[in-house]
Amino acid sequence: MIGLISATAAGAAARDRLAAAWPDRTRVYEGPVKEAVRAAFAECEQLVCFLATGAVVRLLAPLLAGKAADPGVVCVDEGGRFAVALLGGHGGGANELAREVGASLGAEPVVTTATDAVGLPGLDTLGLPYEGAVAAVSRALLDGEPVALAAEVAWPLPPLPVADEGAYTIRVTDRDAVPGEREVLLRPPSLVVGVGASRGAPAEEVLGLVEGALREAGLSARSVGELATVDAKAGEPGIVAAAERLGVPLVTYSAEELAGVEVPNPSAAPLAAVGTPSVAEAAALLRGGELLVPKRKSAMATCAVVRRPARGRLAVVGLGPGARDLLTPRAAAELRRASVVVGLDQYVDQIRDLLRPGTRVLESGLGAEEERARTAVAQARAGHAVALIGSGDAGVYAMASPALAEASDDIDVVGVPGVTAALAAGAILGAPLGHDHVSISLSDLHTPWEVIERRVRAAAEADLVVTFYNPRSRGRDWQLPKALAILAGHREPATPVGVVRNASRPDESSRVTTLAELDAATVDMMTVVTVGNTATRIVAGRMVTPRGYRWQASREEPK
């Protein structure tokens, strides 16, 4: 819960706007400010104080316990101009809260944490348990000193400016190790513990068996990602309590699923009890991995430990038509998250300034789409966080389809939509896409012209608004005239046509003409051509396609 505190009418107005925007996340604290701050500090995970920073510092000083326990605090000035992350930037989430508050209230977020200020992810914000010299290693990263990354377990991390060797080390490990003086240990959730238990098995016995197995194998309990068992044991109190005490989810599988897993130590006892010859080993191995601890038994429980391979992450990111303000916040966040960016060189140039230090960029020229897709998938399979970028929307004549055709279910795939060229051009032209419409690429490099022509003819006969991508190049100068001729067989010569070149970019140009007057020679590959349907009209110089035909027929033609 986020506590909201204000002292003046102006502050209360901004406070109430935030409370209205986040009704399920916030609680307003009324009354004297000192008592309100004290109560919110004790009861909430985060605070937003609509007060001067100096006043908040004096109010908080007697309450501070330490960065691991204190809530995140954001100060907003009474004019609502700035949202300052004052306390708990990383541990309390104040940095991200300041950005969220700023987005909601139209305020400028102010974040002074050193790593955030220079675009480095904080080692304590990666979502992984950590141990060791976080402050010292972070300072080394900030000072440009060589910091080595020792990844004993491959795991998708955000970009970090690391080296092969260095006086400081970031070690990614699930081993039960003690960090050195200049070392940070990151604990990935790479271990799965399969468990089985007789009815009524005490939680202490189940937990003791699991912790003993991990300890003897030299594995860290902080890297346990989940406990796994058979459906029939989903409500077994001892197993449920053990998962709760370890702070991990309990995942269950059917006996039929477990029976299909080949294990080294099957047994007749679980087969008779729950219908599978293995519970602990099979539940741990079901989704693949390396069996580190074969089945171990106590009086009433069994367990086995598996290290699962890291699931890399592939984000297929649409950059929009080119203008920075048409790049979505989600796309920008994915670019900051990725440790590897794969893309066409000219698209990489558009967003290079958004990449964090340490991001590895794999760029190539025109005509290498399939190779870029294969490269991105291979990097994700190696356990990296990858962003594969494309212009517009990555799923529209772009990189999503070749990448997803290459990817299998061994990686996580995220699609990030972008503003397409058709949408950007449509907004410039007016409202040409107000009714049913279709986009057709006139490039026959990947699609036979016979297929393209059939689609153009179908769109013409169906009276669809048509947006042509890739309309004309030096080597393909006859396809656009041919397509326009097909449309002309079904539409009047005065049908509006919009032509937009480099939509949203500094050298953007656009014009509205007609089907009869369009000169195809003025069109190139950077141009989008939108041809209206029989209801499309030019109103005040803009293309307008009504949402329906009935009302359009009943009103007077626009002059």
Side-chain angles (χ1 to χ4, degrees):
M1 187 62 67
I2 303 171
L4 306 181
I5 299 133
S6 64
T8 67
R15 176 202 68 190
D16 293 344
R17 285 171 53 205
L18 193 61
W22 299 346
D24 299 326
R25 299 177 60 190
T26 58
R27 174 182 171 185
V28 173
Y29 283 78
E30 304 278 8
V33 171
K34 183 176 182 179
E35 285 75 7
V37 169
R38 183 179 296 275
F41 195 89
E43 297 168 358
C44 297
E45 292 83 12
Q46 296 175 318
L47 281 69
V48 180
C49 299
F50 295 85
L51 304 163
T53 54
V56 177
V57 167
R58 287 189 291 272
L59 290 168
L60 292 179
L63 308 177
L64 301 180
K67 65 183 300 181
D70 295 335
V73 179
V74 170
C75 286
V76 180
D77 64 286
E78 293 181 341
R81 298 170 300 165
F82 302 101
V84 182
L86 183 68
L87 179 69
H90 285 168
N95 292 348
E96 184 57 34
L97 180 61
R99 296 184 183 100
E100 290 188 79
V101 171
S104 181
L105 298 180
E108 180 71 23
V110 179
V111 175
T112 59
T113 308
T115 50
D116 292 73
V118 298
L120 286 174
L123 297 177
D124 53 351
T125 66
L126 302 182
L128 300 178
Y130 59 89
E131 304 166 36
V134 171
V137 174
S138 296
R139 178 61 183 266
L141 289 170
L142 288 167
D143 290 345
E145 296 188 45
V147 176
L149 176 64
E152 297 174 7
V153 179
W155 207 260
L157 297 174
L160 294 165
V162 292
D164 293 332
E165 297 181 353
Y168 298 83
T169 305
I170 300 169
R171 183 146 55 118
V172 185
T173 182
D174 54 19
R175 294 289 176 185
D176 187 15
V178 177
E181 290 184 4
R182 296 185 171 189
E183 184 177 53
V184 170
L185 302 185
L186 299 178
R187 302 292 192 184
S190 54
L191 303 178
V192 178
V193 180
V195 291
S198 302
R199 182 177 298 177
E204 289 73 15
E205 180 176 340
V206 177
L207 186 62
L209 178 65
V210 170
E211 290 179 336
L214 293 168
R215 184 169 53 252
E216 291 182 23
L219 299 170
S220 172
R222 303 189 77 187
S223 279
V224 175
E226 63 187 44
L227 261 58
T229 190
V230 67
D231 283 348
K233 297 296 179 179
E236 185 63 43
I239 294 177
V240 173
E244 291 176 349
R245 303 241 305 255
L246 286 168
V248 299
L250 177 62
V251 178
T252 63
Y253 303 104
S254 69
E256 182 179 4
E257 290 177 292
L258 297 182
V261 179
E262 185 176 344
V263 298
N265 300 293
S267 172
L271 180 61
V274 293
T276 173
S278 172
V279 173
E281 287 182 337
L285 283 167
L286 183 63
R287 289 167 50 199
E290 176 188 3
L291 184 63
L292 301 180
V293 180
K295 182 174 68 176
R296 293 172 55 102
K297 299 175 63 175
S298 65
M300 300 182 71
T302 60
C303 81
V305 182
V306 163
R307 177 187 288 136
R308 285 188 180 157
R311 287 182 65 85
R313 188 174 190 276
L314 174 62
V316 188
V317 181
L319 302 180
R324 178 56 59 84
D325 58 354
L326 292 182
L327 177 76
T328 68
R330 186 179 301 181
E334 288 293 347
L335 294 173
R336 290 192 297 270
R337 176 175 182 164
S339 60
V340 180
V341 171
V342 181
L344 181 67
D345 47 14
Q346 63 189 53
Y347 297 151
V348 171
D349 288 341
Q350 291 179 23
I351 50 83
R352 202 181 295 272
D353 63 302
L354 296 178
L355 304 181
R356 279 176 158 165
T359 304
R360 189 155 49 98
V361 177
L362 305 177
E363 55 189 307
S364 53
L366 287 168
E369 289 84 0
E370 288 79 7
E371 181 60 31
R372 283 194 291 275
R374 286 192 291 269
T375 297
V377 171
Q379 290 292 321
R381 284 188 177 136
H384 300 299
V386 182
L388 175 61
I389 62 174
S391 66
D393 182 283
V396 179
Y397 302 122
M399 295 304 302
S401 53
L404 269 59
E406 185 75 22
S408 52
D409 62 359
D410 58 345
I411 61 174
D412 295 323
V413 177
V414 178
V416 182
V419 178
T420 66
L423 295 177
I428 294 164
L429 295 171
L433 308 182
H435 206 311
D436 298 335
H437 54 274
V438 63
S439 295
I440 299 177
S441 172
L442 294 183
S443 172
D444 55 2
L445 295 177
H446 299 287
T447 306
W449 174 254
E450 293 76 15
V451 175
I452 297 172
E453 183 174 342
R454 188 164 66 247
R455 291 172 179 172
V456 174
R457 200 172 302 280
E461 293 172 353
D463 198 30
L464 297 172
V465 176
V466 182
T467 298
F468 289 122
Y469 280 72
N470 306 314
R472 185 177 180 274
S473 68
R474 292 179 182 177
R476 296 186 301 100
D477 58 2
W478 58 268
Q479 287 90 341
L480 179 59
K482 177 67 173 176
L484 294 174
I486 294 172
L487 292 176
H490 297 265
R491 300 178 193 181
E492 295 295 327
T495 299
V497 176
V499 180
V500 180
R501 188 177 190 279
N502 283 332
S504 86
R505 301 187 183 189
D507 55 346
E508 168 191 299
S509 63
S510 66
R511 66 186 187 278
V512 176
T513 181
T514 66
L515 191 55
E517 295 173 350
L518 174 62
D519 181 3
T522 64
V523 173
D524 62 12
M525 285 288 286
M526 305 304 294
T527 305
V528 171
V529 178
T530 300
V531 182
N533 66 11
T534 57
T536 305
R537 298 291 183 267
I538 298 177
V539 181
R542 292 180 285 269
M543 288 179 68
V544 179
T545 302
R547 292 182 60 186
Y549 288 82
R550 189 177 307 161
W551 72 268
Q552 179 70 14
S554 67
R555 64 195 293 266
E556 184 179 346
E557 290 289 321
K559 305 298 184 185

